[in-house]
Amino acid sequence: MTVTGADITGADIVELDRIAVRETVRVVDLAASDDWERDTPCAGWTLRRLVAHMTAQHHGFAAAARGAGQDAARWREPQDMSEPARIHRSAAADVLDAFGEPGADEREFALPELGGSFPGRRAISFHFVDYVVHSWDVATTLGVGVELPDDVLRAALAVARRVPTDPARRGPGFAFAPAVEVPAGAGPLEETLRLLGRVPKH
């Protein structure tokens, strides 16, 4: 699979998402028992809370892929996060199974948090870029690196460049913080992070 420039036309979005989700599973599984209360790049969220959010999003998107995304209960964070890595791993398997079902990327996904329904391929692209960013969030919290292929990072940048930058739809209560300036020479991961409101520290 080759992704060039800022174009993911023809790319296998389900496979791209699978790679990103598996990377989040890898980095979450690195967390030790004393890591869960660490602060993350998501302002005000500990690692435990971030992983609860990721878990809920996996289950919500899985439900959307199966035609039940309008059910608010499918998007709720688990009440029991005593074993965050195990709970997250199970949710990741759920969403990968749902996206892997034949024709999933051609279905309509109800995504109430985003205000409506979206074609499957586009909806999966939202999930994909979110998990590239969340893999970085978790890795940064733990002081480890992100291991994603260049093609995946270029595809994530292509999606990030399409995310609206309207200030009225960025910040607390929305999926992403306001975009921050992208310095000259930034690589695809750094540009993606900055476009979606993260500030990598060098």
Side-chain angles (χ1 to χ4, degrees):
M1 173 174 54
T2 300
V3 179
T4 58
D7 185 10
I8 60 167
T9 303
D12 185 343
I13 193 64
V14 173
E15 175 64 8
L16 289 167
D17 183 80
R18 182 189 68 80
I19 293 168
V21 169
R22 286 189 173 180
E23 178 62 2
T24 64
V25 170
R26 182 188 75 82
V27 292
V28 168
D29 281 353
L30 295 175
S33 59
D34 57 352
D35 289 325
W36 296 110
E37 303 315 314
R38 288 183 182 227
D39 291 333
T40 71
C42 301
W45 282 9
T46 64
L47 182 59
R48 191 185 305 274
R49 175 65 200 286
L50 171 59
V51 173
H53 164 78
M54 292 161 60
T55 297
Q57 291 291 303
H58 284 326
H59 284 312
F61 270 87
R66 294 170 175 142
Q70 68 280 0
D71 181 354
R74 305 295 186 100
W75 298 89
R76 290 185 189 134
E77 294 179 9
Q79 291 186 335
D80 180 6
M81 285 298 291
S82 58
E83 297 181 72
R86 179 187 63 78
I87 294 166
H88 172 259
R89 199 180 311 118
S90 176
D94 184 33
V95 79
L96 293 182
D97 285 348
F99 287 179
E101 292 173 4
D105 62 344
E106 299 172 0
R107 299 173 193 157
E108 195 79 4
F109 284 39
L111 303 177
E113 292 184 353
L114 296 180
S117 294
F118 300 85
R121 181 178 169 82
R122 187 176 177 203
I124 294 170
S125 79
F126 298 159
H127 188 265
F128 159 61
V129 75
D130 208 21
Y131 283 85
V132 168
V133 173
H134 283 327
S135 68
W136 178 86
D137 288 331
V138 176
T140 298
T141 302
L142 298 175
V144 300
V146 173
E147 298 177 6
L148 289 169
D150 289 345
D151 275 6
V152 174
L153 296 178
R154 287 195 294 269
L157 176 56
V159 177
R161 285 175 173 170
R162 297 175 184 173
V163 175
T165 58
D166 179 0
R169 298 186 62 82
R170 294 288 193 107
F174 294 98
F176 299 112
V180 297
E181 183 179 356
V182 178
L189 177 57
E190 180 174 0
E191 184 173 346
T192 296
L193 294 169
R194 287 176 173 274
L195 288 174
L196 300 180
R198 304 294 199 271
V199 183
K201 293 181 174 60
H202 298 287

